[in-house]
Amino acid sequence: MRPWWKSAVVYQIYPRSFADSDGDGIGDLGGILQRLDHLGALGVDVIWLSPIYRSPQADNGYDISDYRDIDPLFGTLADFDTLVAKVHALGMKLVMDLVVNHTSDEHPWFTESRSSRDNSKRDWYIWRDAPDDAGPSRREPNNWGSFFSGPAWTWDPGTEQFYLHLFDRKQPDLNWDNPEVRKAVRDIMVWWLDRGVDGFRMDVINFISKAEGLPDARPVPLQRHVIAFDGFADGPHVHEYLAELTRTVFGGRDGEYLTVGEMPGVTTVEARLYTDPARGELDMVFQFEHMGIDHSPTGKFDHRGLDLVVLKDTMHRWQAALADVGWNSLYWNNHDQPRVVSRFGDDDPVHWAASAKALATILHGMRGTPFIYQGEELGMTNYPFRFPQDHRDLEAVNYYNEVLALGGDTAAALTGLARMSRDNARTPMQWDAGRNAGFSTGQPWLPVNPNHSWLNAEAQTAATDSVLAHYRALIRLRHELPVFADGDFTPLFADDPQIWAYTRATADATLLVIVNCGREPRTVDIGAEWAGAQLLLGNLPKTPAASTTLTLQGWDARIYAARR
Ligand code: ISL
């Protein structure tokens, strides 16, 4: 029997930016409760909540100081229990974000660990001596860089050793080679499952096993610190630790659960192993190849434009690689990525709606489990960031300060940030055309996009041809037609720089998904077998039935079912 999550659609909430019920300008659990009907009407099956645990909020909750409590910013455990009950009553499931590659430096485990070299928690984190004499120019134990600029090591003057942090210095990495750490993680997961949650999205979970001896990464010209994927991604024990976790947490539990591992740098070969049901590791992973194709070798803020053929090829390779074993997750957006309609679509007002629907059609037609990030179902766009002080995200702030300190091109840095900054995803959800887009009665922690005057949930709920209505239709199709979950995937026109097309087929049904990813109309020959095919969904008014030749308008997107 096919697992339930193969025909499910997941919706990600970034609680801080979703809905604010108490007027402090920061979204909260009360706000989510007030807006659950939006998700019920959309038809999604699962809600994934970005972290709501107690946290100093250095990385907006991806730095946890207590895994068994809710941050007062968001509410209380009682609010959480109410939320779980309401989500379940609406027939949806709730998945927690589990951030266990690292904790906050304010977690009691770390405060104990740093208190002395012989503390019982010392070995819960990754501590190393300086390789040379102490002094102001003391070298770090290796050349690894932090994802958020600078070295991945911070010196602790109290105990005179460095600790490792792949992310911010306030996010020290746990030492998963210590069985006590693995046991502690397991206990946290069981505690939340017992509270009623339906699974976990596991943050950078392919980073938990570091390479033996923490070797230097391959040097990169002009960069002293290197993001050393080969030093920590898909490390020597990661499969063993994940299988152990899954067995000990879910073994013997009845229920329908979902696990998805977030995995920067993961390859198709590794992803097959992680998601092979016979190995008992994870249900699906988030891969990043399609999110990297517009980054330049010098980093994500040096944009290199979109080559559609490369994007298609990347997505198609993942479709093929996980066709017989494993399973894909499908996403364009999350809280770390710029808005897809501005990135791979066309957010010019004339093309905005059609291109948002077209990108949705491409993704939701594929084999895998689609994830929708809040506001994506409205076609929310990037924010018009202009000034350094516009940015809140520590990644953006650190990057800008680094460019400034090195005497680099700050104007170029601002352009790069406007295009790629994670804050693009984090501006408040646009509920209506009113003050603060209906997000909060107070001052929002990040400004609301001025386009909420016309781009908002209320307007789109009332319209039958909105981006929102298109997402609803795609979700309904996935629920109704088994071919979306089960069908084979075959690309068409693979080398075409403007047409994105593929078929999905089972023994009983064949679909054609065909999209014009450009402004100019295109005529394509799709073959006689498609003549008279039934239009299941289109994104423009008056889309005709199929014929051997199709003329597609700008950003025209169609799904046809072959006649049998
Ligand atoms: O956005 C990124 C930095 O350029 C990504 O590389 C991101 O850091 C990476 O995808 C890992 O993301 C996850 O872990 C981070 C957290 O900041 C992200 O929000 C989270 O999704 C550290 O916990």
Side-chain angles (χ1 to χ4, degrees), residues 261-302:
E262 190 216 22
M263 300 201 169
V266 72
T267 59
T268 52
V269 174
E270 288 292 328
R272 274 170 76 95
L273 300 176
Y274 286 119
T275 64
D276 178 350
R279 297 171 57 93
E281 298 182 26
L282 296 168
D283 296 329
M284 59 190 84
V285 305
F286 292 130
Q287 58 88 11
F288 279 75
E289 277 191 39
H290 66 307
M291 291 287 108
I293 64 158
D294 55 353
H295 298 184
S296 89
T298 48
K300 75 179 208 182
F301 297 117
D302 290 331

Side-chain angles (χ1 to χ4, degrees), residues 59 62 99 102 147-148 167 171 201 203-204 262 264 288 300 335-336 395 422 426:
D59 187 18
Y62 284 87
V99 189
H102 44 270
F147 278 83
F148 299 148
F167 295 91
Q171 295 168 295
R201 174 270 188 191
D203 194 66
V204 292
E262 190 216 22
F288 279 75
K300 75 179 208 182
H335 63 291
D336 294 331
E395 180 190 48
R422 308 196 297 180
R426 301 175 182 185

Side-chain angles (χ1 to χ4, degrees), residues 78-222:
D79 297 333
F80 181 79
D81 293 339
T82 310
L83 180 65
V84 174
K86 289 251 166 76
V87 168
H88 287 167
L90 285 167
M92 294 183 282
K93 296 179 188 292
L94 191 87
V95 162
M96 293 293 268
D97 212 314
L98 189 76
V99 189
V100 286
N101 171 69
H102 44 270
T103 68
S104 164
D105 67 337
E106 297 180 35
H107 193 292
W109 297 342
F110 190 72
T111 37
E112 276 194 49
S113 184
R114 84 180 326 168
S115 66
S116 78
R117 286 202 194 193
D118 50 18
N119 184 278
S120 61
K121 296 263 181 337
R122 185 66 170 181
D123 185 50
W124 281 42
Y125 293 85
I126 301 173
W127 293 96
R128 290 290 181 279
D129 290 332
D132 55 1
D133 292 335
S137 60
R138 179 191 297 112
R139 272 195 298 120
E140 293 90 23
N142 68 20
N143 68 352
W144 294 2
S146 148
F147 278 83
F148 299 148
S149 305
W153 297 94
T154 288
W155 180 250
D156 177 53
T159 55
E160 303 204 309
Q161 280 189 315
F162 283 99
Y163 66 87
L164 178 72
H165 54 88
L166 296 179
F167 295 91
D168 191 62
R169 62 172 61 213
K170 288 189 66 63
Q171 295 168 295
D173 280 50
L174 282 163
N175 174 20
W176 276 67
D177 294 331
N178 183 332
E180 291 174 17
V181 168
R182 306 204 297 276
K183 165 88 169 54
V185 170
R186 195 184 308 160
D187 291 347
I188 292 166
M189 294 172 77
V190 168
W191 192 86
W192 284 101
L193 291 175
D194 289 347
R195 221 173 174 106
V197 311
D198 303 292
F200 301 95
R201 174 270 188 191
M202 298 158 86
D203 194 66
V204 292
I205 203 69
N206 64 328
F207 291 0
I208 57 176
S209 171
K210 275 70 176 174
E212 223 63 68
L214 307 182
D216 265 351
R218 263 174 288 116
V220 175
L222 302 177

